[in-house]
Amino acid sequence: MKTLDKLQTSEWKRPEEVMQLHRLKVKKRALQARMNNTSISRNDLKLKPIQNSSNCNDTISECIGQKRKNPFLRDETSKKANIETSDLEPSNDNTLFELLKIETPKPDKAENILDCPLTFSNALSKLEIDKNTSESEIIKGAKYIPIDWTLKTKMRFMSPKSFPWNCKLKTSEEASGISGFVRCLNISEQDSTLDTSPNARLHRCCLIWQHPSIPWLELFPRSSGKMSANLTNNLTIINSTNMKEALYKDWSESFRSLFHLLRARQCPYFYVCANNFTVLFRAAGISGISEAHALLTPTTRGFRTSLSQEDIEYTMPLRKDFKRRSDVSDSGCETLDTTVSNTILANHVENQYPDDEDETQDEWLQSLGVENSEIRKINSSQARMTLEKETEIDNMKQSLIFVKGIEAQALFNFLINCKSAITTTGPLAGIPPTLLAPVAFHGATLKPIKVKESIVRVDNERYFSLELRGPLLPHVLPSLCSLMKSSQLEQYSASCAQLDSTTSFSAVKQELEQAESTNTSKIPQNVFGKEYLSDCGFNDELLKSFCSSDPTHIQIIENIKFSNNFYTWT
């Protein structure tokens, strides 16, 4: 008995452990059967009965000596088999597809992972590649250059490789560049008899038509505050009446000639730069608008009142509701200026609104026992609030006005007869506004843009720099980018210095959509607008960009970068 107890304590195990091992084997066999696409009989899954030897009924010693198989004995071979990795086959994607009732993709010969069949093992890799691809597409940008209607004063191109041109022009290169610009010829064509070198094509992009042109005066930008005192003393000859009349008469002829070219669609656009405002006239078809139109910024309440008095209808697309200035800080602090302004405001309201409603309101207040002095104060405060709201946006971007069609003709007539467009004080006294255009017109002067080429270092890296100074019109940037692309420059960047007062020209996008939606002839205009402007001096690719009605193609560009045949800008 002692021997049996010793055997039971040393070799016999608990039934829970045996059943746990049995269930593990059953699961393993079932998984192996599914992986091998075979079925296993349920008889194999049953627990085999213990077959005792008949000789074990005699004595316990004989059972021990026979060494029968103990069903509760730990199986060392099974233990090793469970631990060995050779029996643990890797998961099969086909089995998982079968369990999900999905057809197994047929493998094909693929060179990269994107062409491999869909499996669970490469699904994550494929998603990662798609993510990287989408991010790279976002970074690439666009293949077109948006149009920026903002006037620019300076532009600098930088490239790690040298430019294919230099600033030293030969006689033939300068002549070909001037001939191509004046005659509106595309000298990049191979069948042209002009010089097609990069120097000639660069010189063609760096010319502009301007009126008036006074050598000792800088008429762009029109910032009279930067003039020196010595220069102001030398301008006494312009203060004579004969000089003013001659300048104004010549300017009127030039302005009229330029506007007629615009109406005939032989000039795509031009600028009128006065001391206090800038006007952009655009031909019919530009930006998808079917009629000739104009944008003027900045404006004041007095200027807008003058337009209203001339029956010129305009819209203010950038205007929004502004919070009225607080009058709390000025309460109880009336001065001579405020008293005079209140009187002017009251007179303005009386002259502008002589309706019966005002008389009725006054009579109603008098019937309530309100004195006439109090009624005048109420009317004055109301007029002050109304006019303050109108003057909140003066000289701001939101003060831009937009006219089109017959109203653009009325604005032209107003400007050509507007004496306030010519300043009477300062170094630019008596000088008419500056006219800038990409095509020739009566009295125009051909002006070159200053070009400077140098080598600069940024973060210990050498870059080739090309700097341009002068009135840079909207077509200059896309023309230079097209020239660099045709010269096979793989990478370059450009930064622009803008005239801040003209940035609102590129901010008018919603107005373009409204004008296009309300235009009854928008379909013919969009189709034939490019053909109508075929004689305006732009090539087909550039004209297509200017005639696009997509508001996203109009952006304010401060920096632009070209890389991998894509443009990105900020």
Side-chain angles (χ1 to χ4, degrees), residues 422-433:
I422 303 176
T423 182
T424 57
T425 59
L428 299 180
I431 300 177

Side-chain angles (χ1 to χ4, degrees), residues 503-551:
T503 55
S504 55
F505 289 149
S506 295
V508 184
K509 300 179 182 180
Q510 185 178 1
E511 179 64 29
L512 297 180
E513 296 178 354
Q514 293 177 356
E516 187 66 14
S517 61
T518 57
N519 183 16
T520 56
S521 60
K522 67 176 182 178
I523 296 179
Q525 184 62 29
N526 291 338
V527 174
F528 300 106
K530 183 178 176 181
E531 285 72 14
Y532 290 156
L533 291 165
S534 59
D535 297 330
C536 69
F538 290 165
N539 56 36
D540 294 339
E541 182 179 358
L542 188 60
L543 188 58
K544 182 180 178 180
S545 300
F546 276 90
C547 292
S548 175
S549 59
D550 189 358

Side-chain angles (χ1 to χ4, degrees), residues 51 87 217 413 566:
Q51 297 179 357
D87 294 337
L217 285 180
N413 296 332
F566 283 88

Side-chain angles (χ1 to χ4, degrees), residues 9 16 32 42-43 211 241 261 264 283 429 540 544:
T9 55
E16 293 84 1
Q32 190 69 26
R42 297 184 60 88
N43 296 329
H211 181 86
T241 305
L261 287 171
D540 294 339
K544 182 180 178 180

Side-chain angles (χ1 to χ4, degrees), residues 38-53:
T38 59
S39 61
I40 185 170
S41 61
R42 297 184 60 88
N43 296 329
D44 296 337
L45 300 179
K46 295 181 179 179
L47 181 63
K48 294 182 179 181
I50 302 176
Q51 297 179 357
N52 298 330
S53 178

